[in-house]
Amino acid sequence: MKIDYNYDVTYHYNMATDQIIVTNIKINLNREEPTQKGNGFWDTVIFANPNANLPQELGNYYLPNGDLPGINGDSLWNKYGNNNKDVFAFVSQNNQTEQYTIKYNTSGITPYAVNRNSDGTFTLFKTMDRGNLPNHSGNGDQGWHIWWINGNLKKTITVPQAPQRKTTEVHYHYNPSVIRL
């Protein structure tokens, strides 16, 4: 699947908690024609809150089936995207027929806090990808196992830390010879 995307994110930095508060996000997806075809699997990318949990989807399928029975872009949207405040945009494409579904969260987002990453950046949104891996059954049939992973597409920003006052030493002076009553 090939997609281009653009985004508009509204956020503010809370210096007291060293967090980014995201208050609005809009993502626009543009699908490009694929350069190669597969066996009919529904490749899926979800743009989501960086704190969102990966979907849990169990299942194996065997060729010539291209995916689990009853799966298509709309069923995946209804299962993982629709009415989910952590999902901002969704694209799913059948890698054989090139049929696709693009959906957006139209109910708005619930503001969320983002903590600083270990490298000092903040991740405003991430992607979660649906894929498959070969799974040999042991009886000669080659099956495919469904998995979800955090994707490589994400938006990180850097917010400079507030300058902190540096004090290397403090001197006090006390003179015991001066006593006043």
PDB file of all heavy atoms in Angstrom, residues 4-11 22-30 47-49 85-90 102-110 112 124-125 155:
ATOM      1  N   ASP A   4       0.036   8.881   0.824  1.00  0.00           N
ATOM      2  CA  ASP A   4       0.584  10.170   1.250  1.00  0.00           C
ATOM      3  C   ASP A   4      -0.385  10.709   2.288  1.00  0.00           C
ATOM      4  O   ASP A   4      -1.589  10.438   2.234  1.00  0.00           O
ATOM      5  CB  ASP A   4       0.655  11.159   0.079  1.00  0.00           C
ATOM      6  CG  ASP A   4       1.801  10.868  -0.865  1.00  0.00           C
ATOM      7  OD1 ASP A   4       2.816  10.315  -0.418  1.00  0.00           O
ATOM      8  OD2 ASP A   4       1.664  11.179  -2.060  1.00  0.00           O
ATOM      9  N   TYR A   5       0.146  11.488   3.217  1.00  0.00           N
ATOM     10  CA  TYR A   5      -0.737  12.058   4.228  1.00  0.00           C
ATOM     11  C   TYR A   5      -0.255  13.457   4.573  1.00  0.00           C
ATOM     12  O   TYR A   5       0.905  13.803   4.402  1.00  0.00           O
ATOM     13  CB  TYR A   5      -0.793  11.172   5.475  1.00  0.00           C
ATOM     14  CG  TYR A   5       0.489  11.129   6.276  1.00  0.00           C
ATOM     15  CD1 TYR A   5       0.666  11.943   7.390  1.00  0.00           C
ATOM     16  CD2 TYR A   5       1.526  10.278   5.921  1.00  0.00           C
ATOM     17  CE1 TYR A   5       1.836  11.914   8.129  1.00  0.00           C
ATOM     18  CE2 TYR A   5       2.700  10.239   6.653  1.00  0.00           C
ATOM     19  CZ  TYR A   5       2.848  11.054   7.755  1.00  0.00           C
ATOM     20  OH  TYR A   5       4.006  11.026   8.469  1.00  0.00           O
ATOM     21  N   ASN A   6      -1.194  14.274   5.038  1.00  0.00           N
ATOM     22  CA  ASN A   6      -0.840  15.550   5.652  1.00  0.00           C
ATOM     23  C   ASN A   6      -1.696  15.682   6.896  1.00  0.00           C
ATOM     24  O   ASN A   6      -2.678  14.980   7.068  1.00  0.00           O
ATOM     25  CB  ASN A   6      -0.991  16.732   4.674  1.00  0.00           C
ATOM     26  CG  ASN A   6      -2.375  16.860   4.113  1.00  0.00           C
ATOM     27  OD1 ASN A   6      -3.351  16.891   4.847  1.00  0.00           O
ATOM     28  ND2 ASN A   6      -2.486  16.922   2.792  1.00  0.00           N
ATOM     29  N   TYR A   7      -1.271  16.570   7.765  1.00  0.00           N
ATOM     30  CA  TYR A   7      -1.926  16.647   9.063  1.00  0.00           C
ATOM     31  C   TYR A   7      -1.921  18.085   9.558  1.00  0.00           C
ATOM     32  O   TYR A   7      -1.126  18.921   9.139  1.00  0.00           O
ATOM     33  CB  TYR A   7      -1.217  15.749  10.082  1.00  0.00           C
ATOM     34  CG  TYR A   7       0.245  16.089  10.242  1.00  0.00           C
ATOM     35  CD1 TYR A   7       0.657  17.049  11.154  1.00  0.00           C
ATOM     36  CD2 TYR A   7       1.206  15.471   9.452  1.00  0.00           C
ATOM     37  CE1 TYR A   7       1.983  17.381  11.285  1.00  0.00           C
ATOM     38  CE2 TYR A   7       2.531  15.805   9.569  1.00  0.00           C
ATOM     39  CZ  TYR A   7       2.924  16.753  10.486  1.00  0.00           C
ATOM     40  OH  TYR A   7       4.244  17.096  10.588  1.00  0.00           O
ATOM     41  N   ASP A   8      -2.846  18.346  10.467  1.00  0.00           N
ATOM     42  CA  ASP A   8      -2.951  19.619  11.168  1.00  0.00           C
ATOM     43  C   ASP A   8      -3.188  19.273  12.636  1.00  0.00           C
ATOM     44  O   ASP A   8      -4.194  18.640  12.955  1.00  0.00           O
ATOM     45  CB  ASP A   8      -4.105  20.439  10.595  1.00  0.00           C
ATOM     46  CG  ASP A   8      -4.243  21.803  11.228  1.00  0.00           C
ATOM     47  OD1 ASP A   8      -3.270  22.279  11.854  1.00  0.00           O
ATOM     48  OD2 ASP A   8      -5.324  22.407  11.103  1.00  0.00           O
ATOM     49  N   VAL A   9      -2.245  19.643  13.498  1.00  0.00           N
ATOM     50  CA  VAL A   9      -2.330  19.295  14.912  1.00  0.00           C
ATOM     51  C   VAL A   9      -2.334  20.572  15.747  1.00  0.00           C
ATOM     52  O   VAL A   9      -1.512  21.461  15.524  1.00  0.00           O
ATOM     53  CB  VAL A   9      -1.137  18.409  15.348  1.00  0.00           C
ATOM     54  CG1 VAL A   9      -1.232  18.062  16.823  1.00  0.00           C
ATOM     55  CG2 VAL A   9      -1.061  17.146  14.511  1.00  0.00           C
ATOM     56  N   THR A  10      -3.250  20.660  16.695  1.00  0.00           N
ATOM     57  CA  THR A  10      -3.285  21.763  17.649  1.00  0.00           C
ATOM     58  C   THR A  10      -2.878  21.206  19.006  1.00  0.00           C
ATOM     59  O   THR A  10      -3.458  20.219  19.467  1.00  0.00           O
ATOM     60  CB  THR A  10      -4.693  22.380  17.747  1.00  0.00           C
ATOM     61  OG1 THR A  10      -5.118  22.767  16.436  1.00  0.00           O
ATOM     62  CG2 THR A  10      -4.703  23.580  18.680  1.00  0.00           C
ATOM     63  N   TYR A  11      -1.878  21.834  19.613  1.00  0.00           N
ATOM     64  CA  TYR A  11      -1.392  21.352  20.909  1.00  0.00           C
ATOM     65  C   TYR A  11      -0.810  22.525  21.686  1.00  0.00           C
ATOM     66  O   TYR A  11      -0.555  23.592  21.126  1.00  0.00           O
ATOM     67  CB  TYR A  11      -0.324  20.260  20.731  1.00  0.00           C
ATOM     68  CG  TYR A  11       0.932  20.739  20.058  1.00  0.00           C
ATOM     69  CD1 TYR A  11       1.990  21.269  20.790  1.00  0.00           C
ATOM     70  CD2 TYR A  11       1.059  20.679  18.679  1.00  0.00           C
ATOM     71  CE1 TYR A  11       3.148  21.714  20.172  1.00  0.00           C
ATOM     72  CE2 TYR A  11       2.209  21.132  18.055  1.00  0.00           C
ATOM     73  CZ  TYR A  11       3.244  21.633  18.795  1.00  0.00           C
ATOM     74  OH  TYR A  11       4.378  22.087  18.176  1.00  0.00           O
ATOM     75  N   VAL A  22      -2.505  17.552  23.348  1.00  0.00           N
ATOM     76  CA  VAL A  22      -3.053  17.633  21.993  1.00  0.00           C
ATOM     77  C   VAL A  22      -4.552  17.845  22.118  1.00  0.00           C
ATOM     78  O   VAL A  22      -5.245  17.063  22.771  1.00  0.00           O
ATOM     79  CB  VAL A  22      -2.745  16.354  21.187  1.00  0.00           C
ATOM     80  CG1 VAL A  22      -3.393  16.421  19.803  1.00  0.00           C
ATOM     81  CG2 VAL A  22      -1.239  16.144  21.068  1.00  0.00           C
ATOM     82  N   THR A  23      -5.040  18.927  21.501  1.00  0.00           N
ATOM     83  CA  THR A  23      -6.462  19.256  21.610  1.00  0.00           C
ATOM     84  C   THR A  23      -7.228  19.033  20.309  1.00  0.00           C
ATOM     85  O   THR A  23      -8.449  18.947  20.329  1.00  0.00           O
ATOM     86  CB  THR A  23      -6.646  20.715  22.061  1.00  0.00           C
ATOM     87  OG1 THR A  23      -5.967  21.570  21.138  1.00  0.00           O
ATOM     88  CG2 THR A  23      -6.105  20.914  23.469  1.00  0.00           C
ATOM     89  N   ASN A  24      -6.529  18.945  19.186  1.00  0.00           N
ATOM     90  CA  ASN A  24      -7.203  18.700  17.908  1.00  0.00           C
ATOM     91  C   ASN A  24      -6.202  18.118  16.922  1.00  0.00           C
ATOM     92  O   ASN A  24      -5.025  18.496  16.939  1.00  0.00           O
ATOM     93  CB  ASN A  24      -7.804  19.980  17.351  1.00  0.00           C
ATOM     94  CG  ASN A  24      -8.783  19.707  16.230  1.00  0.00           C
ATOM     95  OD1 ASN A  24      -9.306  18.600  16.097  1.00  0.00           O
ATOM     96  ND2 ASN A  24      -9.038  20.705  15.420  1.00  0.00           N
ATOM     97  N   ILE A  25      -6.675  17.213  16.090  1.00  0.00           N
ATOM     98  CA  ILE A  25      -5.822  16.634  15.061  1.00  0.00           C
ATOM     99  C   ILE A  25      -6.687  16.246  13.869  1.00  0.00           C
ATOM    100  O   ILE A  25      -7.770  15.695  14.031  1.00  0.00           O
ATOM    101  CB  ILE A  25      -5.033  15.415  15.600  1.00  0.00           C
ATOM    102  CG1 ILE A  25      -4.038  14.901  14.572  1.00  0.00           C
ATOM    103  CG2 ILE A  25      -5.945  14.327  16.073  1.00  0.00           C
ATOM    104  CD1 ILE A  25      -3.016  13.953  15.153  1.00  0.00           C
ATOM    105  N   LYS A  26      -6.208  16.607  12.686  1.00  0.00           N
ATOM    106  CA  LYS A  26      -6.878  16.239  11.438  1.00  0.00           C
ATOM    107  C   LYS A  26      -5.819  15.677  10.508  1.00  0.00           C
ATOM    108  O   LYS A  26      -4.774  16.293  10.305  1.00  0.00           O
ATOM    109  CB  LYS A  26      -7.563  17.440  10.808  1.00  0.00           C
ATOM    110  CG  LYS A  26      -8.740  17.915  11.610  1.00  0.00           C
ATOM    111  CD  LYS A  26      -9.447  19.046  10.952  1.00  0.00           C
ATOM    112  CE  LYS A  26     -10.601  19.435  11.855  1.00  0.00           C
ATOM    113  NZ  LYS A  26     -11.187  20.669  11.570  1.00  0.00           N
ATOM    114  N   ILE A  27      -6.095  14.513   9.963  1.00  0.00           N
ATOM    115  CA  ILE A  27      -5.186  13.854   9.039  1.00  0.00           C
ATOM    116  C   ILE A  27      -5.932  13.625   7.739  1.00  0.00           C
ATOM    117  O   ILE A  27      -7.094  13.208   7.742  1.00  0.00           O
ATOM    118  CB  ILE A  27      -4.670  12.526   9.632  1.00  0.00           C
ATOM    119  CG1 ILE A  27      -3.829  12.826  10.868  1.00  0.00           C
ATOM    120  CG2 ILE A  27      -3.873  11.737   8.602  1.00  0.00           C
ATOM    121  CD1 ILE A  27      -3.350  11.630  11.627  1.00  0.00           C
ATOM    122  N   ASN A  28      -5.275  13.907   6.622  1.00  0.00           N
ATOM    123  CA  ASN A  28      -5.854  13.678   5.306  1.00  0.00           C
ATOM    124  C   ASN A  28      -5.000  12.641   4.585  1.00  0.00           C
ATOM    125  O   ASN A  28      -3.778  12.779   4.516  1.00  0.00           O
ATOM    126  CB  ASN A  28      -5.909  14.984   4.510  1.00  0.00           C
ATOM    127  CG  ASN A  28      -6.604  14.795   3.190  1.00  0.00           C
ATOM    128  OD1 ASN A  28      -7.663  14.184   3.111  1.00  0.00           O
ATOM    129  ND2 ASN A  28      -5.996  15.306   2.135  1.00  0.00           N
ATOM    130  N   LEU A  29      -5.633  11.592   4.070  1.00  0.00           N
ATOM    131  CA  LEU A  29      -4.932  10.496   3.400  1.00  0.00           C
ATOM    132  C   LEU A  29      -5.201  10.527   1.900  1.00  0.00           C
ATOM    133  O   LEU A  29      -6.338  10.753   1.470  1.00  0.00           O
ATOM    134  CB  LEU A  29      -5.394   9.157   3.959  1.00  0.00           C
ATOM    135  CG  LEU A  29      -5.242   8.959   5.462  1.00  0.00           C
ATOM    136  CD1 LEU A  29      -5.867   7.638   5.888  1.00  0.00           C
ATOM    137  CD2 LEU A  29      -3.785   9.018   5.852  1.00  0.00           C
ATOM    138  N   ASN A  30      -4.159  10.286   1.119  1.00  0.00           N
ATOM    139  CA  ASN A  30      -4.266  10.143  -0.323  1.00  0.00           C
ATOM    140  C   ASN A  30      -3.611   8.827  -0.711  1.00  0.00           C
ATOM    141  O   ASN A  30      -2.418   8.638  -0.487  1.00  0.00           O
ATOM    142  CB  ASN A  30      -3.568  11.300  -1.051  1.00  0.00           C
ATOM    143  CG  ASN A  30      -4.251  12.611  -0.796  1.00  0.00           C
ATOM    144  OD1 ASN A  30      -5.438  12.757  -1.036  1.00  0.00           O
ATOM    145  ND2 ASN A  30      -3.509  13.571  -0.275  1.00  0.00           N
ATOM    146  N   PHE A  47      -3.973   5.689  11.902  1.00  0.00           N
ATOM    147  CA  PHE A  47      -3.309   6.843  12.512  1.00  0.00           C
ATOM    148  C   PHE A  47      -4.003   7.078  13.843  1.00  0.00           C
ATOM    149  O   PHE A  47      -5.227   7.247  13.884  1.00  0.00           O
ATOM    150  CB  PHE A  47      -3.437   8.078  11.626  1.00  0.00           C
ATOM    151  CG  PHE A  47      -2.592   8.011  10.381  1.00  0.00           C
ATOM    152  CD1 PHE A  47      -2.949   7.207   9.312  1.00  0.00           C
ATOM    153  CD2 PHE A  47      -1.424   8.746  10.297  1.00  0.00           C
ATOM    154  CE1 PHE A  47      -2.169   7.146   8.174  1.00  0.00           C
ATOM    155  CE2 PHE A  47      -0.627   8.692   9.168  1.00  0.00           C
ATOM    156  CZ  PHE A  47      -1.001   7.888   8.100  1.00  0.00           C
ATOM    157  N   ALA A  48      -3.229   7.089  14.935  1.00  0.00           N
ATOM    158  CA  ALA A  48      -3.852   7.059  16.254  1.00  0.00           C
ATOM    159  C   ALA A  48      -3.069   7.859  17.286  1.00  0.00           C
ATOM    160  O   ALA A  48      -1.908   8.233  17.083  1.00  0.00           O
ATOM    161  CB  ALA A  48      -3.976   5.608  16.723  1.00  0.00           C
ATOM    162  N   ASN A  49      -3.730   8.052  18.416  1.00  0.00           N
ATOM    163  CA  ASN A  49      -3.129   8.608  19.618  1.00  0.00           C
ATOM    164  C   ASN A  49      -1.889   7.767  19.946  1.00  0.00           C
ATOM    165  O   ASN A  49      -1.959   6.532  19.901  1.00  0.00           O
ATOM    166  CB  ASN A  49      -4.179   8.507  20.730  1.00  0.00           C
ATOM    167  CG  ASN A  49      -3.725   8.946  22.086  1.00  0.00           C
ATOM    168  OD1 ASN A  49      -2.554   8.866  22.445  1.00  0.00           O
ATOM    169  ND2 ASN A  49      -4.677   9.387  22.880  1.00  0.00           N
ATOM    170  N   LYS A  85     -12.103   6.913  19.991  1.00  0.00           N
ATOM    171  CA  LYS A  85     -11.565   8.275  20.107  1.00  0.00           C
ATOM    172  C   LYS A  85     -10.050   8.325  19.912  1.00  0.00           C
ATOM    173  O   LYS A  85      -9.500   9.386  19.687  1.00  0.00           O
ATOM    174  CB  LYS A  85     -11.922   8.874  21.474  1.00  0.00           C
ATOM    175  CG  LYS A  85     -13.386   9.117  21.670  1.00  0.00           C
ATOM    176  CD  LYS A  85     -13.783  10.396  21.020  1.00  0.00           C
ATOM    177  CE  LYS A  85     -15.201  10.766  21.417  1.00  0.00           C
ATOM    178  NZ  LYS A  85     -15.659  11.945  20.765  1.00  0.00           N
ATOM    179  N   ASP A  86      -9.364   7.182  20.007  1.00  0.00           N
ATOM    180  CA  ASP A  86      -7.917   7.152  19.806  1.00  0.00           C
ATOM    181  C   ASP A  86      -7.529   7.074  18.332  1.00  0.00           C
ATOM    182  O   ASP A  86      -6.364   7.207  17.991  1.00  0.00           O
ATOM    183  CB  ASP A  86      -7.293   5.956  20.535  1.00  0.00           C
ATOM    184  CG  ASP A  86      -7.225   6.153  22.031  1.00  0.00           C
ATOM    185  OD1 ASP A  86      -7.246   7.315  22.490  1.00  0.00           O
ATOM    186  OD2 ASP A  86      -7.140   5.144  22.753  1.00  0.00           O
ATOM    187  N   VAL A  87      -8.490   6.831  17.441  1.00  0.00           N
ATOM    188  CA  VAL A  87      -8.222   6.686  16.010  1.00  0.00           C
ATOM    189  C   VAL A  87      -8.590   7.981  15.292  1.00  0.00           C
ATOM    190  O   VAL A  87      -9.701   8.482  15.444  1.00  0.00           O
ATOM    191  CB  VAL A  87      -9.004   5.491  15.425  1.00  0.00           C
ATOM    192  CG1 VAL A  87      -8.887   5.447  13.916  1.00  0.00           C
ATOM    193  CG2 VAL A  87      -8.501   4.190  16.039  1.00  0.00           C
ATOM    194  N   PHE A  88      -7.642   8.499  14.494  1.00  0.00           N
ATOM    195  CA  PHE A  88      -7.868   9.750  13.765  1.00  0.00           C
ATOM    196  C   PHE A  88      -8.154   9.504  12.286  1.00  0.00           C
ATOM    197  O   PHE A  88      -8.958  10.201  11.684  1.00  0.00           O
ATOM    198  CB  PHE A  88      -6.663  10.672  13.891  1.00  0.00           C
ATOM    199  CG  PHE A  88      -6.174  10.816  15.303  1.00  0.00           C
ATOM    200  CD1 PHE A  88      -4.844  10.669  15.609  1.00  0.00           C
ATOM    201  CD2 PHE A  88      -7.048  11.073  16.351  1.00  0.00           C
ATOM    202  CE1 PHE A  88      -4.384  10.786  16.908  1.00  0.00           C
ATOM    203  CE2 PHE A  88      -6.604  11.186  17.655  1.00  0.00           C
ATOM    204  CZ  PHE A  88      -5.266  11.042  17.929  1.00  0.00           C
ATOM    205  N   ALA A  89      -7.449   8.540  11.689  1.00  0.00           N
ATOM    206  CA  ALA A  89      -7.640   8.218  10.276  1.00  0.00           C
ATOM    207  C   ALA A  89      -7.328   6.742  10.075  1.00  0.00           C
ATOM    208  O   ALA A  89      -6.583   6.133  10.851  1.00  0.00           O
ATOM    209  CB  ALA A  89      -6.732   9.078   9.405  1.00  0.00           C
ATOM    210  N   PHE A  90      -7.900   6.182   8.991  1.00  0.00           N
ATOM    211  CA  PHE A  90      -7.839   4.743   8.762  1.00  0.00           C
ATOM    212  C   PHE A  90      -7.811   4.498   7.263  1.00  0.00           C
ATOM    213  O   PHE A  90      -8.579   5.101   6.521  1.00  0.00           O
ATOM    214  CB  PHE A  90      -9.095   4.124   9.383  1.00  0.00           C
ATOM    215  CG  PHE A  90      -9.342   2.676   9.060  1.00  0.00           C
ATOM    216  CD1 PHE A  90      -8.941   1.683   9.929  1.00  0.00           C
ATOM    217  CD2 PHE A  90     -10.002   2.319   7.889  1.00  0.00           C
ATOM    218  CE1 PHE A  90      -9.198   0.351   9.653  1.00  0.00           C
ATOM    219  CE2 PHE A  90     -10.257   0.991   7.603  1.00  0.00           C
ATOM    220  CZ  PHE A  90      -9.848   0.001   8.482  1.00  0.00           C
ATOM    221  N   ILE A 102     -11.064   4.334   3.067  1.00  0.00           N
ATOM    222  CA  ILE A 102     -10.429   5.405   3.827  1.00  0.00           C
ATOM    223  C   ILE A 102     -11.510   6.021   4.703  1.00  0.00           C
ATOM    224  O   ILE A 102     -12.579   6.388   4.214  1.00  0.00           O
ATOM    225  CB  ILE A 102      -9.797   6.480   2.918  1.00  0.00           C
ATOM    226  CG1 ILE A 102      -8.656   5.880   2.111  1.00  0.00           C
ATOM    227  CG2 ILE A 102      -9.317   7.671   3.749  1.00  0.00           C
ATOM    228  CD1 ILE A 102      -8.029   6.832   1.104  1.00  0.00           C
ATOM    229  N   LYS A 103     -11.243   6.106   5.994  1.00  0.00           N
ATOM    230  CA  LYS A 103     -12.217   6.650   6.948  1.00  0.00           C
ATOM    231  C   LYS A 103     -11.507   7.611   7.901  1.00  0.00           C
ATOM    232  O   LYS A 103     -10.302   7.494   8.143  1.00  0.00           O
ATOM    233  CB  LYS A 103     -12.859   5.534   7.785  1.00  0.00           C
ATOM    234  CG  LYS A 103     -13.555   4.459   6.995  1.00  0.00           C
ATOM    235  CD  LYS A 103     -14.928   4.884   6.596  1.00  0.00           C
ATOM    236  CE  LYS A 103     -15.655   3.695   5.961  1.00  0.00           C
ATOM    237  NZ  LYS A 103     -17.015   3.974   5.665  1.00  0.00           N
ATOM    238  N   TYR A 104     -12.293   8.532   8.471  1.00  0.00           N
ATOM    239  CA  TYR A 104     -11.776   9.516   9.414  1.00  0.00           C
ATOM    240  C   TYR A 104     -12.666   9.569  10.654  1.00  0.00           C
ATOM    241  O   TYR A 104     -13.870   9.346  10.564  1.00  0.00           O
ATOM    242  CB  TYR A 104     -11.734  10.906   8.782  1.00  0.00           C
ATOM    243  CG  TYR A 104     -10.875  10.980   7.549  1.00  0.00           C
ATOM    244  CD1 TYR A 104     -11.439  10.895   6.286  1.00  0.00           C
ATOM    245  CD2 TYR A 104      -9.498  11.121   7.658  1.00  0.00           C
ATOM    246  CE1 TYR A 104     -10.656  10.955   5.149  1.00  0.00           C
ATOM    247  CE2 TYR A 104      -8.694  11.184   6.531  1.00  0.00           C
ATOM    248  CZ  TYR A 104      -9.290  11.098   5.277  1.00  0.00           C
ATOM    249  OH  TYR A 104      -8.500  11.143   4.154  1.00  0.00           O
ATOM    250  N   ASN A 105     -12.075   9.913  11.776  1.00  0.00           N
ATOM    251  CA  ASN A 105     -12.830  10.165  12.995  1.00  0.00           C
ATOM    252  C   ASN A 105     -13.532  11.506  12.810  1.00  0.00           C
ATOM    253  O   ASN A 105     -12.887  12.535  12.701  1.00  0.00           O
ATOM    254  CB  ASN A 105     -11.879  10.210  14.193  1.00  0.00           C
ATOM    255  CG  ASN A 105     -12.580  10.563  15.491  1.00  0.00           C
ATOM    256  OD1 ASN A 105     -13.641  11.171  15.505  1.00  0.00           O
ATOM    257  ND2 ASN A 105     -11.957  10.192  16.585  1.00  0.00           N
ATOM    258  N   THR A 106     -14.843  11.488  12.770  1.00  0.00           N
ATOM    259  CA  THR A 106     -15.599  12.730  12.552  1.00  0.00           C
ATOM    260  C   THR A 106     -16.222  13.252  13.838  1.00  0.00           C
ATOM    261  O   THR A 106     -16.842  14.308  13.828  1.00  0.00           O
ATOM    262  CB  THR A 106     -16.718  12.503  11.512  1.00  0.00           C
ATOM    263  OG1 THR A 106     -17.564  11.441  11.972  1.00  0.00           O
ATOM    264  CG2 THR A 106     -16.135  12.153  10.156  1.00  0.00           C
ATOM    265  N   SER A 107     -16.058  12.529  14.940  1.00  0.00           N
ATOM    266  CA  SER A 107     -16.676  12.961  16.196  1.00  0.00           C
ATOM    267  C   SER A 107     -15.728  13.789  17.061  1.00  0.00           C
ATOM    268  O   SER A 107     -16.070  14.144  18.172  1.00  0.00           O
ATOM    269  CB  SER A 107     -17.176  11.746  16.975  1.00  0.00           C
ATOM    270  OG  SER A 107     -16.105  10.881  17.267  1.00  0.00           O
ATOM    271  N   GLY A 108     -14.529  14.086  16.556  1.00  0.00           N
ATOM    272  CA  GLY A 108     -13.572  14.866  17.331  1.00  0.00           C
ATOM    273  C   GLY A 108     -12.785  13.982  18.273  1.00  0.00           C
ATOM    274  O   GLY A 108     -13.124  12.822  18.490  1.00  0.00           O
ATOM    275  N   ILE A 109     -11.740  14.548  18.822  1.00  0.00           N
ATOM    276  CA  ILE A 109     -10.897  13.759  19.716  1.00  0.00           C
ATOM    277  C   ILE A 109     -11.065  14.229  21.143  1.00  0.00           C
ATOM    278  O   ILE A 109     -11.492  15.352  21.397  1.00  0.00           O
ATOM    279  CB  ILE A 109      -9.402  13.839  19.322  1.00  0.00           C
ATOM    280  CG1 ILE A 109      -8.828  15.229  19.614  1.00  0.00           C
ATOM    281  CG2 ILE A 109      -9.179  13.455  17.888  1.00  0.00           C
ATOM    282  CD1 ILE A 109      -7.323  15.263  19.641  1.00  0.00           C
ATOM    283  N   THR A 110     -10.739  13.356  22.051  1.00  0.00           N
ATOM    284  CA  THR A 110     -10.648  13.725  23.450  1.00  0.00           C
ATOM    285  C   THR A 110      -9.219  14.207  23.667  1.00  0.00           C
ATOM    286  O   THR A 110      -8.274  13.494  23.305  1.00  0.00           O
ATOM    287  CB  THR A 110     -10.934  12.505  24.348  1.00  0.00           C
ATOM    288  OG1 THR A 110     -12.248  12.032  24.052  1.00  0.00           O
ATOM    289  CG2 THR A 110     -10.816  12.867  25.809  1.00  0.00           C
ATOM    290  N   TYR A 112      -5.566  14.732  24.791  1.00  0.00           N
ATOM    291  CA  TYR A 112      -4.706  13.750  25.454  1.00  0.00           C
ATOM    292  C   TYR A 112      -3.326  14.336  25.710  1.00  0.00           C
ATOM    293  O   TYR A 112      -2.878  15.244  25.018  1.00  0.00           O
ATOM    294  CB  TYR A 112      -4.606  12.457  24.642  1.00  0.00           C
ATOM    295  CG  TYR A 112      -4.068  12.614  23.245  1.00  0.00           C
ATOM    296  CD1 TYR A 112      -2.705  12.489  22.973  1.00  0.00           C
ATOM    297  CD2 TYR A 112      -4.918  12.849  22.171  1.00  0.00           C
ATOM    298  CE1 TYR A 112      -2.207  12.607  21.695  1.00  0.00           C
ATOM    299  CE2 TYR A 112      -4.436  12.983  20.890  1.00  0.00           C
ATOM    300  CZ  TYR A 112      -3.080  12.849  20.647  1.00  0.00           C
ATOM    301  OH  TYR A 112      -2.606  12.969  19.377  1.00  0.00           O
ATOM    302  N   LEU A 124       3.316  13.080  18.655  1.00  0.00           N
ATOM    303  CA  LEU A 124       1.948  13.601  18.603  1.00  0.00           C
ATOM    304  C   LEU A 124       0.952  12.550  18.135  1.00  0.00           C
ATOM    305  O   LEU A 124      -0.184  12.528  18.569  1.00  0.00           O
ATOM    306  CB  LEU A 124       1.876  14.818  17.687  1.00  0.00           C
ATOM    307  CG  LEU A 124       2.761  16.000  18.093  1.00  0.00           C
ATOM    308  CD1 LEU A 124       2.601  17.129  17.101  1.00  0.00           C
ATOM    309  CD2 LEU A 124       2.431  16.455  19.500  1.00  0.00           C
ATOM    310  N   PHE A 125       1.358  11.711  17.174  1.00  0.00           N
ATOM    311  CA  PHE A 125       0.522  10.595  16.734  1.00  0.00           C
ATOM    312  C   PHE A 125       1.419   9.498  16.191  1.00  0.00           C
ATOM    313  O   PHE A 125       2.587   9.720  15.900  1.00  0.00           O
ATOM    314  CB  PHE A 125      -0.528  11.014  15.688  1.00  0.00           C
ATOM    315  CG  PHE A 125       0.031  11.533  14.393  1.00  0.00           C
ATOM    316  CD1 PHE A 125       0.444  10.670  13.380  1.00  0.00           C
ATOM    317  CD2 PHE A 125       0.114  12.896  14.161  1.00  0.00           C
ATOM    318  CE1 PHE A 125       0.935  11.153  12.183  1.00  0.00           C
ATOM    319  CE2 PHE A 125       0.609  13.387  12.962  1.00  0.00           C
ATOM    320  CZ  PHE A 125       1.017  12.519  11.967  1.00  0.00           C
ATOM    321  N   LYS A 155       4.622  11.277  14.051  1.00  0.00           N
ATOM    322  CA  LYS A 155       5.042  12.669  14.073  1.00  0.00           C
ATOM    323  C   LYS A 155       5.605  12.988  15.443  1.00  0.00           C
ATOM    324  O   LYS A 155       4.905  12.888  16.450  1.00  0.00           O
ATOM    325  CB  LYS A 155       3.873  13.604  13.756  1.00  0.00           C
ATOM    326  CG  LYS A 155       4.239  15.068  13.822  1.00  0.00           C
ATOM    327  CD  LYS A 155       5.371  15.411  12.879  1.00  0.00           C
ATOM    328  CE  LYS A 155       5.780  16.851  13.006  1.00  0.00           C
ATOM    329  NZ  LYS A 155       7.040  17.135  12.364  1.00  0.00           N
TER     330      LYS A 155
END
